[in-house]
Every structure is written in structure tokens, then in C-alpha cells.
Amino acid sequence: MKKIFSLFALLALAFNQVMAQDAVAGAVEETSKTDGLAKMVSYYLLIFLLICVFIGIVGKILAIYDLTKKIQGKKEGIKWDNINGLIFAIFLVLGLYGSYWCYTVQGAQILPDAASEHGAKIDSMLNITLILTTIVFVITHILLFTFAYRYKFSKKKKAYYYPHNNTLEKYWTITPAIVLTVLVLMGFFTWRGITNISKNEMASAIQVDVTAHQFAWEVRYAGNDNIAGNKSYKLIGSLNGLNNLGLDLSDKRNYDDLKVTEIVLPVNKSVRFTLGSQDVIHSFYMPDFRVQMNCVPGMATFFQFTPTITTAEMREKTSDGKYNYQLYCAKICGGSHYNMKFAVKVVSQKEYNEWIKEQKPIVTDDMKKEYQLAMKDNLATENKIALNN
């Protein structure tokens, strides 16, 4: 007990020392973020240790109390079964309140309404799943903790041996199987409806090509022909370092493609994203539209959807005048993963038409000159080889 109280005194002294240093530092100057984080961690660590020491002291006192009762010849000291049953009842109430708090406080922090056609279906599916699992969670935990409290050990009771009940086992096996099957099929058909798109719908959608790399997004819009030109990883860095996307300039469809610094989409107009990566796997993630698809090196992936809420309308819905849609990377792709953001805006068709006219071609005059020089060099090399032969 002396050792325990000595340790408690040392921890209390250390805690006071840290708090005193915080007060002095706050009065003199602002501490750096790193120092502040270290002191915050130290603060909570000391709190945790003090709680552990307190529990240990209480445990020792109770153990001494039990030992004293035994020495006095009394068979039973503390009625632990009753205490454990009471603790179960308390934790049931606290746990249910904690769940209610999570739904009301943290639930209010979830994303606003989906800003796409398919997003509404995904939200509906999520809500159905959440309602079902919440009902099951509440019922099962009330039964679990109530049974632990109601049937706690007592010398006046004798447990009844009840090996099994075939009827009950059928119910609690078949019922969850049916519910889960319905949920899985609902998810399957929802995803199938999102990804299975006709060729006419694909061709009529606005074509946007997105290339991910550590740690940025490169976005280009298809030009007047609404077809993005070909590109190849072998051409990345060619044309004297100007061709960072690896565009194939022998494909004339590249010449009217547009380079953009933000994604602007017209409301209620289908858009098709062609996704790729130059290094590792990235994830094309726009949470407001319920859009997520991996960008895989060496292959193209696709996602097509229709935005339904403009940025201005979403700002009104959220009562946030600065609310903006964003494109993120949802894969931990390296040290600066958190920097992979790209602005997204949904506007009216008129605003979109005005914006698209202002965008510049991705193939610049300098790139064309470098390409022409490269073609001349290749032609000269071919002629030399022919003469030598």
C-alpha cells in the first residue's frame, strides 16, 4: 500500500508539473503544434494512469475487506454476483444512451442529401440497413444485459438445463438469412443499375478524363467531338518534358481536348469519368455524389452519374455559404495523400457553356512544335537506315 500511495503521489506531482508548464507557456507565448500535441497526450496519459491507480487502490481495499471477513469466520463478504448484475444493468442504460447520443449528435454530422440520381438510391439502401441493424442491436442488448442481471447467481436458485430447441434455432437461423439475402440483392441490383449503362448513354454523356498521380489530379475534358484522345504511359514526359499525361499527338482527337483546373458539371446532365493512374492505386472519391472508384495503373476504370443539385442549391440546403463539392483520394497513397483534392462545381447549363468556352486546349503550341521536331528526327533517322541498307 505504501508503494501504491507513493506512485500515486509521484503521478499527481508530475500531473501538476505539466499543468503548471502549460499555464506558463500559454501566458508567455503560443507553443508549437508539436509541443501542444505532446502535452495533450501527456495530459490524457496521466489521467489514464491516475484512474488505473485509483481502481487498483479500490481493488486492494476490497480484497483486504474480504480477507478480514474470512478471518472473522464469516463465509460471505461482498456479494459480487449482485454487484456484477447491477453493473450490467448500469452499462445497459449507459450503452443505450451512448447509442442515442451517437445518432443525435454525431448523426447530425453526416453528409447532406446526395447530389446525384444514383446517390438517392444508395442513401435509401443505407437507411434501410441502419434501421434494421439498430432494431436488432437494441433488442439483443436489452435481452443480453437483462438476462445477466435477472439470472445472476443466487444460492436460492438452481439453473435449469436446457440443451437446445430446434424450432427456435430454425427461426434465428432462417430469419437473419432471409434479411441478409434481401439486403445483398438490394445492393447488387443498385450497383448493377449504376454501372450497367447502355452504349448510347455512354456516348451522349460529357466525357472527362482523370489521371491520378502522387499527389495530384490531372483532369481534361473531351473537346467538340466529345471523345478524349489516346494516351500511353510510354509517352509520359516526352516532348521535352511537356507531355506529362503521355498524350499521343498522332491521334488528332487530342488537339481539341481541354485542360481544366476545376471540375465543372452542368446539373441534370450525365457525365462519364474515365479514370487512370500513373503510379500507385488511387481512389476517385466525391462523397457528395456518392461516387467512388479506384484509379488503377495500367488500366482504365469508369464511373458515370448525373448531378442533381447545384453548388448554389447545396449551399442553401446546408445553410453554409462556403460549402463546396470536392474530389478526394480515398486510398492512402503516400506521405502527401491528404493533399489530393480537386475542386468540383455543379452549375446551370448556361453557366457551364460559358465556362467551357473559356478553357484552353491541353495540347499547346510548344507541344506541337516539339512533336513536329520529333517527327522530323524520326524521318531523318529512317532515311539514314534506308540508305545504309
Side-chain angles (χ1 to χ4, degrees):
M1 292 298 293
K2 288 181 179 179
K3 291 179 180 179
I4 291 174
F5 280 115
S6 298
L7 178 61
F8 180 80
L10 287 172
L11 289 171
L13 180 62
F15 173 75
N16 289 333
Q17 184 67 22
V18 169
M19 295 303 293
Q21 289 177 357
D22 279 343
V24 172
V28 177
E29 60 180 358
E30 292 186 5
T31 58
S32 67
K33 291 183 179 180
T34 304
D35 291 341
L37 178 62
K39 289 179 180 179
M40 183 179 69
V41 171
S42 300
Y43 170 78
Y44 285 110
L45 181 61
L46 284 172
I47 291 291
F48 173 75
L49 291 174
L50 287 172
I51 291 172
C52 290
V53 170
F54 176 76
I55 293 173
I57 292 172
V58 172
K60 285 289 185 182
I61 293 171
L62 293 176
I64 293 171
Y65 175 78
D66 270 344
L67 183 62
T68 304
K69 288 290 183 181
K70 289 180 181 179
I71 293 173
Q72 294 174 351
K74 296 181 180 180
K75 294 182 179 181
E76 188 177 10
I78 299 173
K79 296 181 179 180
W80 287 110
D81 295 306
N82 293 341
I83 291 175
N84 289 334
L86 181 61
I87 291 173
F88 269 103
I90 293 171
F91 269 82
L92 172 62
V93 175
L94 292 177
L96 292 177
Y97 175 76
S99 301
Y100 169 78
W101 182 87
C102 288
Y103 273 89
T104 54
V105 178
Q106 294 182 329
Q109 300 172 10
I110 62 174
L111 290 169
D113 294 340
S116 63
E117 284 185 358
H118 75 274
K121 298 177 183 177
I122 292 177
D123 284 358
S124 175
M125 188 173 61
L126 175 64
N127 290 335
I128 291 171
T129 305
L130 195 60
I131 290 169
L132 289 175
T133 52
T134 301
I135 292 171
V136 173
F137 169 81
V138 172
I139 292 175
T140 54
H141 279 74
I142 287 176
L143 291 174
L144 176 66
F145 283 84
T146 302
F147 267 64
Y149 174 77
R150 176 69 179 81
Y151 299 106
K152 59 185 178 291
F153 174 78
S154 173
K155 292 180 179 179
K156 299 178 182 178
K157 298 176 183 177
K158 185 177 181 181
Y160 174 68
Y161 180 67
Y162 194 69
H164 67 275
N165 185 308
N166 290 334
T167 303
L168 283 177
E169 289 174 8
K170 288 177 183 177
Y171 282 133
W172 69 49
T173 301
I174 294 173
T175 303
I178 293 173
V179 173
L180 289 175
T181 301
V182 171
L183 292 176
V184 169
L185 288 174
M186 187 188 304
F188 171 77
F189 286 116
T190 300
W191 183 246
R192 188 173 179 273
I194 295 169
T195 55
N196 284 21
I197 301 169
S198 67
K199 291 184 178 180
N200 290 334
E201 289 177 320
M202 292 181 190
S204 63
I206 297 172
Q207 303 295 321
V208 182
D209 183 81
V210 178
T211 302
H213 62 85
Q214 294 174 312
F215 297 95
W217 301 97
E218 302 290 342
V219 181
R220 61 171 174 147
Y221 277 57
N224 295 327
D225 56 3
N226 202 33
I227 300 175
N230 292 328
K231 61 183 180 180
S232 172
Y233 72 92
K234 296 179 181 179
L235 298 174
I236 295 173
S238 61
L239 304 180
N240 202 20
L242 297 174
N243 193 6
N244 63 331
L245 287 182
L247 301 178
D248 182 1
L249 295 196
S250 65
D251 183 358
K252 300 301 180 182
R253 294 174 299 184
N254 273 309
Y255 287 82
D256 66 348
D257 291 351
L258 305 173
K259 181 178 177 62
V260 299
T261 56
E262 64 176 344
I263 296 174
V264 177
L265 306 173
V267 68
N268 298 322
K269 178 70 175 178
S270 184
V271 57
R272 183 173 180 81
F273 287 92
T274 301
L275 312 172
S277 173
Q278 291 183 347
D279 36 49
V280 300
I281 295 179
H282 298 272
S283 186
F284 181 83
Y285 179 44
M286 295 194 291
D288 287 289
F289 305 103
R290 311 304 189 256
V291 170
Q292 184 171 357
M293 181 65 71
N294 283 349
C295 305
V296 184
M299 66 177 289
T301 53
F302 308 91
F303 203 105
Q304 184 167 334
F305 72 98
T306 302
T308 56
I309 302 176
T310 66
T311 301
E313 290 171 341
M314 185 58 78
R315 288 176 177 175
E316 290 182 6
K317 281 178 171 289
T318 58
S319 300
D320 182 358
K322 296 181 179 179
Y323 193 93
N324 290 309
Y325 298 133
Q326 287 280 352
L327 162 62
Y328 303 96
C329 176
K331 281 280 188 291
I332 301 177
C333 56
S336 295
H337 155 74
Y338 60 91
N339 283 328
M340 286 193 68
K341 299 177 183 179
F342 205 81
V344 181
K345 187 183 294 184
V346 179
V347 297
S348 66
Q349 185 66 50
K350 181 181 178 181
E351 290 174 303
Y352 173 77
N353 293 338
E354 293 173 354
W355 173 83
I356 203 74
K357 290 178 183 178
E358 299 173 355
Q359 306 312 305
K360 304 298 181 183
I362 193 168
V363 179
T364 62
D365 292 336
D366 290 338
M367 291 175 67
K368 293 177 182 177
K369 291 177 182 177
E370 290 292 338
Y371 178 68
Q372 291 171 358
L373 290 173
M375 293 301 293
K376 288 180 181 178
D377 291 341
N378 288 340
L379 182 61
T381 303
E382 289 175 3
N383 289 337
K384 288 181 182 177
I385 293 174
L387 288 172
N388 289 335
N389 289 336

